[in-house]
Amino acid sequence: MASKAEVEHPRKAFGWAARDPSGHLSPFNFSRRETGEKDVAFKVLYCGICHSDLHMAKNEWRFSIYPLVPGHEITGVVTEVGSKVEKFKVGDKVGVGCLVDSCRTCQNCSNNLENYCPQFTLTYGAKYKDGTITYGGYSDSMVADEHFVVRIPDGLPLDVAAPLLCAGITVYSPLRYFALDKPGMHVGVVGLGGLGHMAVKFAKAFGAKVTVISTSPNKKEEAIQHLGVDSFLISRDQDQMKAAKGTLDGIIDTVSAVHPLFPIIELLKSPGKVVLVGVPEKPLELPVFSLLGRKIVTGSSIGGMKETQEMIDFAAEHNVKPDIEVIPIDYVNTAMERLHKADVKYRFVIDIGNTLKSSS
Amino acid sequence: MSKSPETQYPHKALGWAATDTSGILSPFHFSRRENGDDDVTVQILFCGVCHSDLHTVKNDWGFTTYPVVPGHEIVGVVTKVGNNVKNFKEGDKVGVGVIVESCKECECCQQDLENYCPRPVFTYNSPYYDGTRTQGGYSNSVVVHQRYVLRFPDNLPLDAGAPLLCAGITVYSPMKYYGMTEPGKHLGVAGLGGLGHVAIKIGKAFGLKVTVISGSPYKEAEAIDRLGADSFLVSSDPAKMKAAMGTMDYIIDTISAVHSLTSLLSLLKLNGKLITVGLPNKPLEVPIFTLVAGRKLVGGSNFGGIKETQEMLDFCGKHNITADIELIKIDQINTAMERLSKGDVKYRFVIDVANSISSL
C-alpha cells in the first residue's frame, strides 16, 4: 500500500530519508508537487551534506518531522518551468539552498532578507504553504518557487557549487554585512570544517589576512599549505592565544559546540567583531569586561536570495571553490558518522545523478 | 624607601578613603603634586558617587589597592594653571571624569579615544606614570593635565551636573558610536539607576521613543512622569515582555547585577543592538540562537574620550540635562554606599565636597 508521502503529490520522487532519531538514512519513495506557474523543477545531480542535516536527522534540535529527507545544498539541471517563470529555462544549471519559501510581504522579505522572515519555510522538514512537509535534496528531483532558485554560472561545476548554497552564503553574508571584506583586514576563523574552510576562502578572496583558530593541531599544515591560511592558532595553547591578543579586526566563529568566548574576544582589536554562525545548544558565557573596547558579539543566519546569487557569482568569478569529497548515496550513513567526527576535508557531496537510483 | 601618601607630593590634601574590603570610608590625609606647566589645579566643589566607586572600595573587581579615595564625577573651580595652559584660567568651572592621563601617542589617543588607550591612568586606584597611585574626587583638590579637564557648561548647576562626568558620557558615547540616535527609533533602557535615568534624558533629547525595562514596578510613575520615559516594561511580567518582543531598535543595558540577556535580546528587532554599560562581576549568559536568528549584537563601551565628553557636556548644556541627585555631606558617605548597594537612591548621590571636606 502506498504511503501518504507517495500519494500526496502527483509526481513520483525517490530519495533517502531518516525515519527516527537514530538518524539512519535509507531509501524512501515519496512525491513532488506539479510544477506550478512560478515553479522550477529540476533533476538533482548533487547535494552537499551540511552538519545541519546530521543535527536534523537525529532530531537534536527537537523539531524534526519523520520521515526526513535532508539536504539543502542542492544543484541540478532544470527539467520544467512554470508558465510565469522568467529567470530560468529547461537545461539551465541551478541550485536551491536552505529556504524554499517566505511570506514575501514583510519588511524583511521586501528588503531581500528572506532569511530573517518570521515565516520562512525550510527546504526540508518544514510545513509548506500547501500543508505538506518539505523534502530536501538527498533525492532525485526538486520543485521550488523561482524566487528561491539560483543560477549556477558555467565556471562552477555543479558538485563543487553545491556547498556554496549553505556553507558559502552562511559565511559570505556576515563577512559583507559586518564589513570584514576590506583588503588588508585581519580576519579570524574559529573552526575549520565546512563553514570554516569557506570563510577562509572568501576572506582570502576579499584580500584579508586570515588566522584560523582551531582545537586540532593536525589541521595546521593543510590549512597553511593548501588553504592559504596566514597563521594557525591552537585554541588550547594559552601562550599562542596570548601572543595573538588584540590582532584581529573580526572573527567568524563557526563552532557549534559550547565553547568559551572570552579567549576569542581577546583576539580582537578595539573595535572588533565576533560573528557566530554556529549555534551551540546552550547559552555561552559572555564576560562583559571583555567587550569594553567597543567589541561586539553578534550572529548571522544564512543569507537572502539576492545575496546568495551574488555570492555564487562572486565565487565563480574569483575561483572560490569548496573542497569536497564526492560520495555515492549508499555511503551516506558512513559519511554522517565521519562528519560527526569531523573527518572530512571539508564537505561531503552526494553524487545523486550517478548513484541515486530508485529500485522500483 | 617610598614616601607616605602625605609626603609624596608637596601640597597637602584631605579626602575620604577606603582602607580594606569592608569598603568603609574614613578621613585620609594625602597630598597632590605641584602644578606643572601643563596642569590645572581644581578646588573640588562636588563629586558624584558612581557605582564603580562602590565596586572599587569593596574590591569587587579584584584590582583595588588600598587606601583608595574614590570619585570620578568631579566638578570644581580652577585655582591654578600651568604656563602652557591656554584654555583654562583661575575661577573657571570645570569637570574631571574617569581618566586623568594617557600615553597621548597611540592610535587611540591620536583619535581622541583616550578611554581606549592601552596605558590609561584612571582618576583613582590607578598607577600613575611616576609610580604613585591616583586618588579621586572624594577630596578637596585635584591636579590634572589640562588635556583631561572639561569645561563645565555655564547654565548647568554644578551639583546636578557632576554625574554627567561618568554616568553621562558612559551612555552618550555608545549611543553615538553605535548609531542609536535616529529620531523616532525605539530605545530600551534596562535598569533605572544612575546610568539608566541619564540614558532616558539623553535618549529623549535625541528624539527617541524611550521604554524603561525594570524589575521594580514601583518605579513606573516616576519614570514616566518625572523622567520623561514614554513607557515602562516590568521585566518580571512574562506577558508584558512577550508583548514587547521585537519592538526595540536599541537597548542600553545599565544593570550591574548578573542577569540573563535572553529576555532583553528578545525585545530587539532584526539587527537590534544591545550595549552593556553596567559591569557585572561575573559573565552573563548569552543565547547564541537569538543573536544568529535576528542578527542582533551585544556590544560594549567604556566611558568616552575627552573630546566626546566635552561634546556630551555641551549637548547636556544645550538640552538642560542634569542628573537627579541626592546631595550628601561626606560623613554620610558610608550610609550612602549602603543605600546605593540596594539601589535606594533617586538617582545619584553627590557629595557636597566644598561644604563637608574641610580644607587644610
Side-chain angles (χ1 to χ4, degrees), chain A residues 108 284 286 288 292 297-298, chain B residues 116 270 276 284 286 296 298 300:
Chain A
N108 294 339
L284 297 188
L286 180 62
V288 167
L292 282 175
V297 174
T298 183
Chain B
Y116 297 116
L270 173 71
T276 105
L284 301 185
V286 59
K296 300 176 186 180
V298 178

Side-chain angles (χ1 to χ4, degrees), chain B residues 16 64 166 169 174 242 303:
Chain B
W16 277 49
T64 300
C166 178
I169 185 58
K242 194 167 175 192
F303 58 107

Side-chain angles (χ1 to χ4, degrees), chain B residues 111-168:
Chain B
Q111 291 172 21
D112 299 314
L113 293 171
E114 299 88 349
N115 51 325
Y116 297 116
C117 172
R119 294 176 59 214
V121 178
F122 301 117
T123 304
Y124 63 82
N125 191 40
S126 213
Y128 194 61
Y129 295 155
D130 64 2
T132 64
R133 292 193 71 82
T134 52
Q135 303 291 4
Y138 296 15
S139 63
N140 54 4
S141 72
V142 69
V143 180
V144 181
H145 185 292
Q146 60 170 322
R147 178 173 169 153
Y148 308 91
V149 177
L150 290 318
R151 254 183 344 271
F152 195 79
D154 287 327
N155 61 314
L156 292 183
L158 300 176
D159 53 358
L164 296 174
L165 274 312
C166 178

Side-chain angles (χ1 to χ4, degrees), chain A residues 207-227:
Chain A
K209 180 174 159 185
V210 177
T211 292
V212 164
I213 301 110
S214 169
T215 53
S216 319
N218 55 26
K219 294 187 179 182
K220 180 174 177 175
E221 194 179 321
E222 163 102 6
I224 294 184
Q225 306 295 350
H226 178 73
L227 292 176

Side-chain angles (χ1 to χ4, degrees), chain A residues 24-40:
Chain A
H24 183 84
L25 296 144
S26 56
F28 174 64
N29 291 308
F30 65 107
S31 51
R32 293 278 186 203
R33 65 175 183 268
E34 200 68 65
T35 306
E37 55 186 15
K38 294 219 176 137
D39 283 338
V40 172

Side-chain angles (χ1 to χ4, degrees), chain B residues 109-279:
Chain B
C109 284
Q110 295 194 1
Q111 291 172 21
D112 299 314
L113 293 171
E114 299 88 349
N115 51 325
Y116 297 116
C117 172
R119 294 176 59 214
V121 178
F122 301 117
T123 304
Y124 63 82
N125 191 40
S126 213
Y128 194 61
Y129 295 155
D130 64 2
T132 64
R133 292 193 71 82
T134 52
Q135 303 291 4
Y138 296 15
S139 63
N140 54 4
S141 72
V142 69
V143 180
V144 181
H145 185 292
Q146 60 170 322
R147 178 173 169 153
Y148 308 91
V149 177
L150 290 318
R151 254 183 344 271
F152 195 79
D154 287 327
N155 61 314
L156 292 183
L158 300 176
D159 53 358
L164 296 174
L165 274 312
C166 178
I169 185 58
T170 296
V171 299
Y172 181 89
S173 179
M175 288 176 72
K176 290 291 298 256
Y177 178 73
Y178 288 102
M180 300 159 80
T181 58
E182 220 180 300
K185 296 278 189 186
H186 190 179
L187 169 72
V189 176
L192 189 50
L195 289 178
H197 92 290
V198 174
I200 298 171
K201 297 184 186 205
I202 292 180
K204 291 305 297 173
F206 280 131
L208 303 172
K209 175 181 165 186
V210 178
T211 294
V212 171
I213 307 143
S214 167
S216 317
Y218 64 84
K219 292 186 180 182
E220 176 165 0
E222 169 109 350
I224 295 184
D225 300 332
R226 199 173 117 189
L227 297 173
D230 296 284
S231 59
F232 189 96
L233 185 55
V234 179
S235 50
S236 48
D237 184 332
K240 296 237 162 76
M241 288 293 279
K242 194 167 175 192
M245 275 172 67
T247 59
M248 297 181 191
D249 297 283
Y250 334 112
I251 293 175
I252 292 275
D253 182 359
T254 74
I255 303 169
S256 59
V258 170
H259 58 288
S260 167
L261 290 176
T262 304
S263 52
L264 287 179
L265 287 169
S266 73
L267 299 172
L268 289 172
K269 296 176 185 173
L270 173 71
N271 300 332
K273 303 169 190 178
L274 183 150
I275 307 304
T276 105
V277 290
L279 288 174

Side-chain angles (χ1 to χ4, degrees), chain A residues 63 107-108 113 115-116 120 173-174 177-178 261 270-274 276-280 282-289 291-302 307, chain B residues 61 63 108 113 115-116 173-174 177-178 261-262 270-271 275-289 291-303 308:
Chain A
F63 65 86
Q107 202 174 50
N108 294 339
L113 293 170
N115 49 325
Y116 296 114
F120 64 43
S173 181
Y177 180 75
F178 292 105
L261 279 179
S270 295
K273 306 165 189 176
V274 177
L276 289 131
V277 291
V279 182
K282 289 191 171 52
L284 297 188
E285 282 195 346
L286 180 62
V288 167
F289 266 93
L291 297 179
L292 282 175
R294 286 181 171 168
K295 298 182 184 181
I296 68 167
V297 174
T298 183
S300 184
S301 176
I302 42 177
E307 196 176 26
Chain B
W61 293 328
F63 54 80
C108 292
L113 293 171
N115 51 325
Y116 297 116
S173 179
Y177 178 73
Y178 288 102
L261 290 176
T262 304
L270 173 71
N271 300 332
I275 307 304
T276 105
V277 290
L279 288 174
N281 58 358
K282 288 194 172 43
L284 301 185
E285 281 196 345
V286 59
I288 303 304
F289 180 77
L291 297 185
V292 167
R295 201 157 56 179
K296 300 176 186 180
L297 71 83
V298 178
S301 184
N302 199 12
F303 58 107
E308 195 177 29

